[in-house]
Amino acid sequence: MAANGVNIQGRRRARRLCLQALYQWQMNKQPANEVVAQHLAEADPAKVDGQYFSHLMGGVLRQLDDIDAEIAPHLDREAERLTPIERAVLRLATFELKNQLDVPYRVVISEAIELTRTFGATDAHKFVNGVLDQLAIKLRGIERQAARPAS
């Protein structure tokens, strides 16, 4: 647990669970509330921050059109050609970049890269990193500028 009371491992596991739930929702076209309930029921509450998982899933689903619109200009191909993992990771990370200002942008990108390395194609993490770097400039420009070392 971090000094500010955030359970870092619980949040990491919540992101992983959210990615899996988004993937299932995209692939099966199952109602989102059923996917969320299923993943929460299967999650170990001692290990997963269920509240953060629900917040992420709900936020991504509520803001889906806005999130996709944020991502689209930074893609090197049509959004329809993204793999389901790339799409889910980018949606999750974009939601966090836009809405979770308590999570440093570098953490958001790092977590997204790790999820992509775990679940995505061989070099998909490089693509995800590039898109999220561009989004961080737009969505967290002040934070990025402040994080740069003084020359």
Side-chain angles (χ1 to χ4, degrees), residues 11-19 22 49-62 67 91-93 95-96 99-100 103:
R11 278 193 169 190
R12 178 169 285 142
R13 289 182 179 112
R15 286 183 191 96
R16 182 182 181 115
L17 193 65
C18 185
L19 172 65
L22 285 170
D49 184 336
Q51 185 175 2
Y52 198 62
F53 163 76
S54 295
H55 171 70
L56 292 173
M57 275 298 292
V60 169
L61 295 172
R62 276 190 304 278
I67 289 169
R91 285 173 167 171
L92 171 59
F95 174 79
E96 279 196 291
N99 299 283
Q100 292 305 125
V103 180

Side-chain angles (χ1 to χ4, degrees), residues 15-16 18-20 22-23 26 60 67 71 82-97 108-120 124-125 127-129 131-132 135:
R15 286 183 191 96
R16 182 182 181 115
C18 185
L19 172 65
Q20 293 168 329
L22 285 170
Y23 178 87
Q26 291 172 157
V60 169
I67 289 169
I71 295 168
L82 294 173
T83 69
I85 291 295
E86 290 168 343
R87 183 178 295 112
V89 168
L90 288 171
R91 285 173 167 171
L92 171 59
T94 301
F95 174 79
E96 279 196 291
L97 284 172
V108 173
I109 293 173
S110 176
E111 292 285 322
I113 289 169
E114 285 307 309
L115 287 170
T116 308
R117 279 187 172 142
T118 301
F119 296 103
H125 69 281
F127 169 72
V128 166
N129 184 35
V131 172
L132 293 178
L135 280 166

